Amino acid sequence: MRLAYRFALAFLFGGALFSPAPASAQTAQVVYADALQNGWQDWSWATVNLAATSHVQAGSRSISVNAANWQAMYFAATTPIDVGLFTGLTFWVNGGAAGGQVIQVQGTTNSSGLTPVLLAPFPTNAWRQETISLASLGFAQGMDLEGFWLQVTTTSTVPQFFVDSISFSGPAAPTNPPASTSVIIRVDAAADRHVISPLIYGVNFAGSNALRELNVSLNRNGGNLTSRYNWRTNASNHAMDWYFESLPQAGSGPGAAVDRFIQDSRDGLAEPMITIPINGWVARLGPGGQRLSSFSIAKYGPQTGNDYQWFPDAGNGISSSNGQYITDNDPLDANQPSTPEYQAEWIRYLTNHWGSSTQGGVRYYLMDNEWAIWHETHRDVHPVGVTMEQSRDLFCAYASMVKSNDPAALVLGPEEFGWAGYLYSGYDLQWGNTHGWGNPLPDRAAHGGAVMMPWWLDQVRQRSEDAGKRLLDVFTLHYYPQGGEFSDTVSPAMQARRNRSTRSLWDTNYIDESWIADNVRLIPLMKSWVASNFPGTPIGITEYSWGADGHINGGTAQADVLGIFGREGVDLATRWVAPASGTPAYRAIQMYRNYDGLRSAFGDISVRTTVPDPDRVSAFAAERSASGHLTVMAINKETTVAHVQVALSNFVAAGFAQVWSMTSGAAIARQPDVTFTTNLSVLLPAQSVSLLVIPRPSRLGSLSATNGAQIAVQHLGLGSSVYEVDVSPDLVSWQPATNHIQMSDWDTLVFPGSSTTRFYRTRWTP
């Protein structure tokens, strides 16, 4: 039919300022109320029943304890607790029919018990409340509380007793709310524009459900376990991580564990990244798939540690007689040699089973893992550190093999472990640790004082030119902050350091506060090395973590890192490992990739964003290329509320913004929309991540007829917003026709056909 209908879309705005109340101080945390709460776990070595019903103080259940010989009821926190949040431990006790039990209470930190507090004998068939200050248990400001136990004080069996209603009490709420921080975030949508690679949103070892929830692009199969994976027997040697044992992996048949990983990645809509062992050894199993150990105690004598529970003969490779590494072991005890051809057979198996890299198969191959510390992690097969030549030759041999079997596949390396490995070969690291660092390091000296990574890049470039094909597609390193951040420690001092140390990724003026004591500036450094030695090579960081996944401080750090990766132009990144579902670190990734559960994401065109002090409040902004909408990620690292003004330049806004936020212990939540004319004002809760989605004015897209009776028009709006659709015969008299819930930035509106001319408009409704 001829499209004779006319459409005019106009837009009106209204709404209220988003002003959430300041986050209140935490005043209590329940440990047990009919069941363990808030992630607390039962690590008791007494006999404990968490669902006793014979004696109950509150609710319908209590805890019964049967103990003897210094046994204890021990509860451990999933994530260590900052004792500054609480003042005391409160619980109720009942001595049961016998009564008179004498019990002591101890808190734990760093896996050790602190000051014991002895309780009065328990009452008979009656409940008594106990309140113990954390100070009397030996805790001080800045310490982490890992758990606590109630322990019998005798070798004899004590009568059964009961415990109920366990909680930590907190300080009283402050008389005055904490002072807020005032910050101006300046966003210039015309400056520093560049594409944000979607590949920076990657993880290690995620299942399909987590991959879908996180909406990440890459799933890496890496780490020490993969360095000696034997695809034919589906076995791997766990190296130093677990007593150098060769063990069968999940599944049955050649390559089964990796096949399952690839399938999980596909099911989660992520690209799998597979590690190819290049160190010359893979795991060997005994007859019938029997586990084997590189340091058998029966063969090599007593050792300072062993797998006493599952494989007592498997030692840790450290002799009990002298405390030194065992160096005369036979690598064939639990391993077998591997060659490029052996791994080529695996590449051919993968391409036959899954297709080539251009036909839906594996696109990313990582060349082993952290070569510079093989003499530690894999010392049973590599007791001598890898030299500069060996690192070049091994990489090039295996990379060439991959390219010969799947020419379009992407090869990543060198997957080096950290700062020392960027600068020195494994050989020099081992030599320096043995002979001291005051003398010239032999491997570096033999190469004219060359720094390891720049030298390696230049050598691989030359080998690529000689081979007539690029052997390195992405220059990848690992990075973990070295000041204790990569831990569960959340003392005030560590939280502040975690806030600052993300600067080591980008700040050319920041001196790292750890033993490194140097200007790391990792991303600019990697780019400069590439520009000088192998131009055109993308960069990636395939292992990183700032720790404290279960604490909001870890969540804000994770959000900060992802923002930095996008702003600084990292090409690829995979976090070690995928955080546990629901943790702040997990939700921080969702804030960028799936904040609304509909896979809505942070923008893909980075624009200039500045803040006064990124150690306190950091911010990142990006446009969505498909719609032009602006997204601003604002991260309040402070323990006080931040009053923020977003000053926009070179961006025509519709006059309102959606606000999504995550705070400690809460799921991502949509806040009331914000309306504005020039500058946008919001309050950022203490220690929070907030996403502002600022749409451009709505507009009409393509127009088409449907089955002769309706008109379909593409409507640019903002997903998860409501638009009122009005109709008019004359552009003067308007009547509401319907409300449209926008599902994505671009939606289809369908209007009924009519023999008369009609005009339509949409307007956002708060």
Side-chain angles (χ1 to χ4, degrees), residues 29-38 40 50 57 63 73 75 89-93 130 148 150 163-169:
Q29 182 179 110
V30 175
V31 177
Y32 179 90
D34 281 350
L36 288 174
Q37 309 284 334
N38 293 306
W40 284 85
L50 297 175
Q57 187 272 327
I63 305 166
M73 178 193 84
F75 293 156
L89 174 65
T90 298
F91 54 93
W92 292 74
V93 297
E130 301 282 355
F148 62 91
L150 274 67
V163 185
D164 202 353
S165 302
I166 309 172
S167 65
F168 285 95
S169 56

Side-chain angles (χ1 to χ4, degrees), residues 719-766:
S720 300
S721 293
V722 178
Y723 292 84
E724 180 184 292
V725 181
D726 299 335
V727 61
S728 171
D730 54 11
L731 287 178
V732 176
S733 175
W734 291 94
Q735 296 294 325
T738 185
N739 281 337
H740 172 71
I741 301 175
Q742 192 89 2
M743 299 303 296
S744 60
D745 289 351
W746 281 102
D747 266 7
T748 301
L749 299 180
V750 178
F751 302 123
S754 172
S755 60
T756 60
T757 299
R758 290 188 177 184
F759 300 92
Y760 291 89
R761 71 180 181 188
T762 62
R763 56 178 180 174
W764 168 74
T765 61

Side-chain angles (χ1 to χ4, degrees), residues 446-459:
H447 295 84
V451 176
M452 178 64 199
M453 285 298 101
W455 178 90
W456 183 87
L457 280 166
D458 182 65
Q459 292 290 304

Side-chain angles (χ1 to χ4, degrees), residues 228 237 243-246 292-296 300 329-331 333-335 380-381:
R228 279 186 271 169
N237 189 285
Y243 301 101
F244 302 92
E245 295 178 27
S246 289
L292 296 174
S293 169
S294 289
F295 294 107
S296 163
Y300 298 109
N329 67 293
D330 184 353
D333 286 349
N335 304 276
D380 54 328
V381 293

